[in-house]
């Protein structure tokens, strides 16, 4: 099951195991159980400190636990942790053995301070690139705190549980039998959600910070690039991010990032974060900006938790978010059949009927991917023709379980109160309404800039983008902008990085010029 290269890597990783580990499997005569046993045995063969036993009494079959020898296991895997989840499995072994995790000491102390019994379950799909972050975060908490238990559940393998809990999106986290959260979540976010006093604590810490020379708002490619360029100038630099990595975290395959033939969004974000952290940059993650103000002392950014950060210059790089259909039923059935990531949530709709909204590249690619999983895909396009590349349209046309409806206006998402069961659209050629019976709707109609908080402060385009000049400067002196939130065309990662560097250099040039007293400027001009 594991090739020689992976086995060699595992031998190296397992040299870090601190205490002996026992993998306890609960199996039956099914092929999946045989696969699981084969996987566990091959993993155990790479270290004398890992043992496999098959006397598990878990309710879910096949499944296994990861625990330190002599202690009750608190980490479980219901399903084979292959693909993206293999890393979660290996980290679980290391961390359960006592190997120190690569997280800040403050986070470790907050995890160990959690009281009360917490039983987490995370429903995942093996094709989901956001799921491992959640699984690894909760496994870490279980490894560090005896009060915490965590179980990864492969939704494709345990379809009855998916139906029972009405799981329509992954990752979905269940805490003590109630839905705790959905979507990519970091360990910091989980702890903050458990700690009801977290916003007040964060605000106090942020208010106490000294003024920055350059404050970057947004932690995507543009923001990371801006932070690196600023820090290299030796100035006090801070980066404020609602979610470090931004939209790239939701991107699966990246094949046009020059010099990197192929990578994935989460991998690129991890590299970006490591690069930023190699400089003296104050990273303030999980923080949302609410307002920007010009004061006599410089610039202020007010946060959602009430804190205020001060800086001599600001670079806005807040990126964009998925555009919504804005039709009745969309919000009601979000994550209950309405989805925005076909790679993540597609496996949950195996054998079912779905629709894809949007005929651009992302929409057609989604329809192609889903066609291999679901029973039927209906692609709905507002325009009279598809806008995707010709090669994608040709591939779409070759699929027998895909229908394309053009000149169609989506009007309403239908459901039974708990999940999606249909969609209403209007034929724009004759204004007649039609109903499609289905179980899932994947929205792929582009992005919206995250600039609502800047309205009335900066000049924005009719599309809500920040208007910038050739240096990335905005209508407010000292404020620059870069990336997908600006008027710069072609929303690409590599362009965002270049624009981030440019805006940072522009802001630094502003700092140099604004630091010269007016008397000296007059003397030079004379």
């Amino acid at each position: 099951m594991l090739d020689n290269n992976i086995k060699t890597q595992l031998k190296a990783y397992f040299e870090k195991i601190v205490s002996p580990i026992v993998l306890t499997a609960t199996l039956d005569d099914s092929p999946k159980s045989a696969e699981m046993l084969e996987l566990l045995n091959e993993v155990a063969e790479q270290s004398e400190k890992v043992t496999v036993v098959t006397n598990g009494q878990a309710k879910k079959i096949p499944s296994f636990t990861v625990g330190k020898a002599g202690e009750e296991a608190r980490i479980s895997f219901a399903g084979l942790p292959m693909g993206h989840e293999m890393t979660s499995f290996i980290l679980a072994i290391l961390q359960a053995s006592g190997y120190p995790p690569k997280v800040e000491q403050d986070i470790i102390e907050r995890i160990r301070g959690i009281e009360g019994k917490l039983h987490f379950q995370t429903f995942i799909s093996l094709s989901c690139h956001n799921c491992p972050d959640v699984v690894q975060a909760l496994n870490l908490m279980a490894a560090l705190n005896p009060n915490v238990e965590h179980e990864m559940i492969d939704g494709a393998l345990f379809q009855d549980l998916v139906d029972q809990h009405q799981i329509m999106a992954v990752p979905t986290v269940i805490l003590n039998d109630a839905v705790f959260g959905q979507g990519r979540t970091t360990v910091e976010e989980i702890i903050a959600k458990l700690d009801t006093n977290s916003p007040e604590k964060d605000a106090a810490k942020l208010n106490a910070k000294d003024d920055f020379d350059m404050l970057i708002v947004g932690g995507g490619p543009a923001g990371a690039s801006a932070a690196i360029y600023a820090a290299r100038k030796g100035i006090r630099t801070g980066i404020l991010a609602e979610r470090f990595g931004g939209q790239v975290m939701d991107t699966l395959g990246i094949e046009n990032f020059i010099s990197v033939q192929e990578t994935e969004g989460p991998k690129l974000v991890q590299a970006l974060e490591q690069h930023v952290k190699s400089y003296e940059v104050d990273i303030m993650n999980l923080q949302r900006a609410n307002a920007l103000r010009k004061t006599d002392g410089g610039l202020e950014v007010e946060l959602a938790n009430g804190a205020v950060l001060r800086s001599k210059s600001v670079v806005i790089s807040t990126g964009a978010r998925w555009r919504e259909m804005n039709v009745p039923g969309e919000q009601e059935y979000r994550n209950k059949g309405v989805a925005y990531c076909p790679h993540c949530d597609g496996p949950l709709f195996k054998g079912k009927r779905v629709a894809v909204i949007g005929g651009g590249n992302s929409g057609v690619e989604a329809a192609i991917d889903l066609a291999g999983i679901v029973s039927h895909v209906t692609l709905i396009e507002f325009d009279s023709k598809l806008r995707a590349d010709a090669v994608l349209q040709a591939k779409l046309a070759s699929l027998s379980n895909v229908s394309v409806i053009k000149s169609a206006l989506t009007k309403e998402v239908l459901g039974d109160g708990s999940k999606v069961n249909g969609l209403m659209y209007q034929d724009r050629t004759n204004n007649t309404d039609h109903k499609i019976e289905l179980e899932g709707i994947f929205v792929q109609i582009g992005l919206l800039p995250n600039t609502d908080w800047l309205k009335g402060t900066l000049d924005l385009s009719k599309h809500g983008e920040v208007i910038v000049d050739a240096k990335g400067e905005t209508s407010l002196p000292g404020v620059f902008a870069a990336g997908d939130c600006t008027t710069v065309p072609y929303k690409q990662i590599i362009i965002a990085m270049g624009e981030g560097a440019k805006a940072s250099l522009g802001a630094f040039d502003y700092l140099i010029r604004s630091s010269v007293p007016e008397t000296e400027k007059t003397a030079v001009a004379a």
Side-chain angles (χ1 to χ4, degrees):
M1 182 172 287
L2 303 178
D3 62 36
N4 290 331
N5 183 45
I6 293 178
K7 291 179 180 179
T8 300
Q9 292 178 23
L10 288 181
K11 285 182 183 293
Y13 289 138
F14 286 170
E15 289 178 2
K16 303 173 183 178
I17 293 177
V18 178
S19 300
I21 288 293
V22 177
L23 306 177
T24 303
T26 302
L27 308 171
D28 57 15
D29 296 329
S30 67
K32 281 296 180 182
S33 286
E35 285 183 51
M36 179 172 287
L37 183 58
E38 180 182 359
L39 171 65
L40 297 181
N41 284 333
E42 289 190 9
V43 168
E45 287 171 2
Q46 312 314 312
S47 174
E48 294 180 352
K49 292 184 177 181
V50 180
T51 304
V52 177
V53 298
T54 57
N55 59 353
Q57 301 297 314
K59 294 181 180 179
K60 299 179 186 66
I61 303 174
S63 66
F64 68 93
T65 61
V66 179
K68 186 185 296 186
E71 294 185 4
E72 186 174 348
R74 301 189 296 272
I75 299 174
S76 307
F77 290 87
L80 273 72
M82 301 299 288
H84 295 296
E85 295 297 347
M86 176 59 79
T87 301
S88 302
F89 179 25
I90 304 309
L91 284 175
I93 291 175
L94 293 176
Q95 291 167 358
S97 81
Y99 182 76
K102 294 182 179 179
V103 296
E104 297 177 3
Q105 188 60 34
D106 175 62
I107 296 297
I108 293 176
E109 292 174 359
R110 291 174 69 183
I111 291 173
R112 286 176 171 160
I114 295 173
E115 298 179 352
K117 290 293 184 180
L118 302 178
H119 177 66
F120 289 99
Q121 296 173 300
T122 303
F123 284 85
I124 64 99
S125 66
L126 295 179
S127 60
C128 170
H129 53 286
N130 288 325
C131 293
D133 292 323
V134 181
V135 172
Q136 290 164 29
L138 291 167
N139 281 349
L140 170 62
M141 292 173 61
L144 292 175
N145 190 323
N147 291 319
V148 180
E149 297 177 345
H150 177 239
E151 179 181 32
M152 182 213 83
I153 303 174
D154 180 1
L157 189 58
F158 294 92
Q159 192 67 47
D160 57 332
L161 292 177
V162 168
D163 295 337
Q164 176 185 328
H165 291 280
Q166 296 186 350
I167 305 297
M168 306 295 287
V170 290
T172 291
V173 177
I174 307 292
L175 170 58
N176 297 342
D177 295 324
V179 174
F180 178 77
Q182 293 176 315
R184 180 181 179 270
T185 311
T186 64
V187 66
E188 294 91 342
E189 290 174 301
I190 295 169
I191 296 171
K193 196 168 181 178
L194 293 171
D195 184 358
T196 56
N197 296 319
S198 181
E200 290 79 5
K201 294 176 184 177
D202 288 345
K205 290 180 181 179
L206 293 167
N207 278 327
K209 291 184 180 292
D210 294 333
D211 293 6
F212 292 96
D213 292 310
M214 192 182 303
L215 177 64
I216 294 97
V217 184
S225 176
I228 290 169
Y229 268 75
R232 286 175 62 86
K233 297 296 185 182
I235 62 177
R236 178 164 164 71
T237 305
I239 183 167
L240 183 76
E242 187 173 348
R243 180 180 71 154
F244 195 93
Q247 194 76 11
V248 179
M249 283 300 303
D250 301 323
T251 304
L252 187 58
I254 299 174
E255 300 177 350
N256 56 357
F257 190 75
I258 311 307
S259 84
V260 180
Q261 188 169 348
E262 183 179 356
T263 187
E264 296 178 351
K267 290 182 180 179
L268 180 58
V269 170
Q270 184 179 33
L272 283 174
E273 189 169 10
Q274 290 174 348
H275 196 173
V276 172
K277 286 183 175 179
S278 69
Y279 294 96
E280 292 186 10
V281 176
D282 188 346
I283 301 176
M284 296 159 281
N285 201 15
L286 310 182
Q287 302 297 335
R288 175 181 291 188
N290 260 13
L292 172 67
R293 293 188 292 267
K294 183 78 171 178
T295 68
D296 293 338
L299 296 158
E300 289 183 350
V301 175
E302 181 181 319
L303 310 186
N305 60 16
V308 175
L309 298 174
R310 295 158 297 279
S311 184
K312 296 175 183 177
S313 65
V314 171
V315 174
I316 307 295
S317 56
T318 46
R321 63 189 183 277
W322 291 115
R323 184 185 296 273
E324 298 177 349
M325 297 182 292
N326 293 318
V327 300
E330 180 177 14
Q331 293 305 319
E332 180 183 355
Y333 293 104
R334 190 184 183 100
N335 294 326
K336 297 177 181 178
V338 175
Y340 300 84
C341 180
H343 298 294
C344 300
D345 300 331
L348 297 175
F349 294 85
K350 182 178 181 180
K352 298 180 179 179
R353 301 160 298 177
V354 303
V356 173
I357 312 299
N361 281 350
S362 60
V364 172
E365 287 174 350
I368 293 170
D369 289 344
L370 290 167
I373 302 171
V374 305
S375 65
H376 189 271
V377 180
T378 302
L379 187 144
I380 297 177
E381 167 57 33
F382 179 83
D383 203 350
S384 60
K385 60 181 181 301
L386 299 183
R387 294 166 285 108
D389 294 342
V391 64
L392 293 176
Q393 293 192 44
K395 175 62 178 178
L396 186 73
S398 71
L399 302 174
S400 60
N401 63 335
V402 175
S403 301
V404 178
I405 302 176
K406 303 171 188 175
S407 298
L409 172 64
T410 303
K411 295 190 68 177
E412 184 178 0
V413 174
L414 306 174
D416 60 7
S418 61
K419 60 182 182 299
V420 167
N421 62 18
L423 177 148
M424 290 290 297
Y425 76 90
Q426 182 182 80
D427 185 335
R428 296 176 56 238
T429 62
N430 56 23
N431 295 327
T432 57
D433 291 340
H434 301 269
K435 177 182 177 181
I436 304 175
E437 294 184 353
L438 42 72
E439 289 76 40
I441 300 170
F442 290 83
V443 184
Q444 300 283 290
I445 54 175
L447 302 170
L448 281 175
N450 295 317
T451 57
D452 293 344
W453 64 289
L454 296 169
K455 291 179 179 178
T457 304
L458 301 180
D459 288 346
L460 305 178
S461 73
K462 65 180 182 179
H463 301 295
E465 299 165 318
V466 180
I467 298 173
V468 294
D469 66 11
K471 292 184 178 180
E473 191 165 16
T474 71
S475 57
L476 188 63
V479 179
F480 294 73
D484 288 3
C485 68
T486 72
T487 50
V488 173
Y490 311 120
K491 313 304 185 186
Q492 299 290 309
I493 295 171
I494 196 165
I495 292 175
M497 286 183 175
E499 291 296 313
K502 185 171 68 176
S504 185
L505 293 172
F508 182 70
D509 183 64
Y510 166 83
L511 290 173
I512 294 174
R513 296 177 185 276
S514 61
S515 65
V516 179
E518 289 298 326
T519 54
E520 294 184 24
K521 292 180 183 178
T522 304
V524 171

